[in-house]
Amino acid sequence: NVSAWTWAANASWALGRDAEHDAAVARLAALAGDDPSRAAPPRLLDLVTTGRWREARAYHDSVAPRVPDPMARAGLGLMVAQSEQLLGRSAATRALMAKSYPPFVARDTSLARRVRVVDEQLAFYERILLHGDTAGARVALRRWIDASGIERWPMYERGTANLAFEYALIGDAATARARFAAYLAAARTAGADTVRYLKASSAFGLTLDAAIMLAEGKPADALRRLRMVADTSDGGDLIADAFMPAVYLQLGQRDSALAVMRRWVETRDPRRFSIDQNFYATPRALRLGCALADELGDLAARRALCGRLVELWRDADPVYQPYVRDAQARMAREAGRPVTR
């Protein structure tokens, strides 16, 4: 007799970690019966984690109105928001995230404020992950911090370790290192579970340390950390794969970077949602991998990466379309067709 939200959380955990994913889906569906509050989370998570993102949105829209529990309904919204972002549909992402935040973040009482926070957050990731625009991302990060008021939040509530990860992404290693240290210090006063999750030797801590080392220009050290991540926990190999391409590129090992990006795009592992790296790794793998495969003359990788880019972003926002046209041109050259832009 658990709440719908507890059921949704447990279903997500089970699907994210069960090696027999299809069997887990079937078991959860049998347990859920006809109750949409219990049937929807495992079904939607199955679609999201296996890369069927357009199906995920259609299913969400058909079932969410029949889920009475607002927390469970908001959880479904946040799940499918990730799918919309990966499809390059930012307006839909913003709408779903703003609508789904209230049950989770009580301090965000104003819809206008929620929309602004989501806008600035997505603008940051779009600038740095899609376009590689460090200067633009730095401005967006400042706007996101100001809009959210995150600096006034309790330290343990501040996402991605007090924004250390975001500062590492824009290359501000000193700020990232200081913020992570402050976060770890605050975690020591929290509960045992929090400390276990946040400590420097956890998968989370090692990954963040690797990201900061990369910003410090220490790719060899970052590589050693990520190899440790791969051995630390279930999903560690996926966490490492999300960050390995950037490390290999800084080391000048472009073939290795391409191999990891191709593996990331072609592997649909149900654990991926639970480690929340899709949002970070997929746009970079598509954008960089398509071009890199072409530069290296790897035709199979080019077909895989450029083809997946076109498939996912064919109806994405206008800002994505230059990448779609570029990928189409690269594939057209291989096929001997005229290149049109």
Side-chain angles (χ1 to χ4, degrees):
N1 240 352
V2 299
S3 71
W5 173 245
T6 302
W7 168 270
N10 288 338
S12 300
W13 186 90
L15 285 182
R17 289 162 174 76
D18 197 323
E20 299 296 332
H21 178 76
D22 292 340
V25 172
R27 286 197 301 272
L28 287 166
L31 289 169
D34 297 326
D35 182 350
S37 297
R38 289 165 169 74
R43 172 59 178 158
L44 184 59
L45 195 69
D46 175 38
L47 294 171
V48 171
T49 57
T50 53
R52 292 173 286 172
W53 298 323
R54 288 185 173 83
E55 290 180 61
R57 179 57 193 266
Y59 177 75
H60 168 269
D61 291 351
S62 70
V63 75
R66 297 186 284 117
V67 176
D69 187 310
M71 291 286 279
R73 195 166 56 247
L76 298 178
L78 289 178
M79 262 192 261
V80 83
Q82 185 188 74
S83 295
E84 290 295 312
Q85 181 64 14
L86 290 165
L87 291 169
R89 302 195 291 215
S90 298
T93 306
R94 287 170 168 83
L96 282 163
M97 290 181 70
K99 184 177 180 181
S100 301
Y101 266 174
F104 293 93
V105 188
R107 63 172 63 83
D108 287 340
T109 55
S110 161
L111 178 60
R113 182 182 174 200
R114 287 197 305 272
V115 170
R116 184 185 167 210
V117 171
V118 170
D119 276 350
E120 301 298 353
Q121 181 179 3
L122 293 179
F124 168 77
Y125 285 113
E126 189 175 87
R127 296 315 307 171
I128 194 67
L129 300 180
L130 181 62
H131 304 304
D133 176 9
T134 301
R138 186 174 290 110
V139 173
L141 179 57
R142 186 67 260 168
R143 289 176 177 167
W144 172 17
I145 291 171
D146 292 342
S148 66
I150 193 172
E151 302 285 26
R152 298 188 298 273
W153 297 9
M155 183 69 74
Y156 60 86
E157 290 186 17
R158 300 181 189 179
T160 46
N162 191 21
L163 298 179
F165 176 61
E166 284 73 16
Y167 276 97
L169 283 181
I170 62 175
D172 188 344
T175 301
R177 182 69 69 192
R179 281 180 168 268
F180 187 34
Y183 196 69
L184 289 173
R188 294 188 189 101
T189 67
D193 287 341
T194 302
V195 172
R196 277 197 294 272
Y197 174 70
L198 293 175
K199 67 183 181 180
S201 60
S202 68
F204 174 86
L206 289 168
T207 303
L208 186 46
D209 199 27
I212 297 171
M213 287 175 170
L214 196 61
E216 292 169 333
K218 302 174 181 176
D221 291 337
L223 182 61
R224 281 191 285 272
R225 288 289 189 278
L226 290 176
R227 285 174 173 163
M228 293 169 66
V229 170
D231 298 329
T232 58
S233 64
D234 183 34
D237 54 330
L238 292 176
I239 296 172
D241 272 1
F243 294 92
M244 281 291 195
V247 173
Y248 282 132
L249 286 174
Q250 200 173 111
L251 287 168
Q253 299 177 20
R254 301 203 300 164
D255 287 324
S256 296
L258 179 61
V260 177
M261 286 188 277
R262 182 179 178 185
R263 183 167 68 234
W264 180 270
V265 169
E266 292 185 326
T267 301
R268 301 185 181 184
D269 193 309
R271 297 171 299 166
R272 189 171 288 174
F273 185 87
S274 67
I275 63 169
D276 202 23
Q277 301 302 332
N278 245 340
F279 187 75
Y280 165 77
T282 300
R284 289 172 64 93
L286 292 172
R287 175 177 65 86
L288 297 177
C290 174
L292 183 57
D294 199 24
E295 291 169 14
L296 294 177
D298 188 327
L299 300 185
R302 182 169 66 188
R303 292 186 197 106
L305 290 161
C306 296
R308 182 66 168 157
L309 185 156
V310 172
E311 174 196 347
L312 290 180
W313 291 348
R314 64 178 186 268
D315 55 358
D317 294 346
V319 72
Y320 287 77
Q321 293 312 308
Y323 301 109
V324 175
R325 290 192 294 270
D326 177 73
Q328 289 171 328
R330 293 176 190 277
M331 291 190 294
R333 284 196 298 272
E334 179 184 344
R337 298 192 301 269
V339 176
T340 60
R341 288 184 181 271

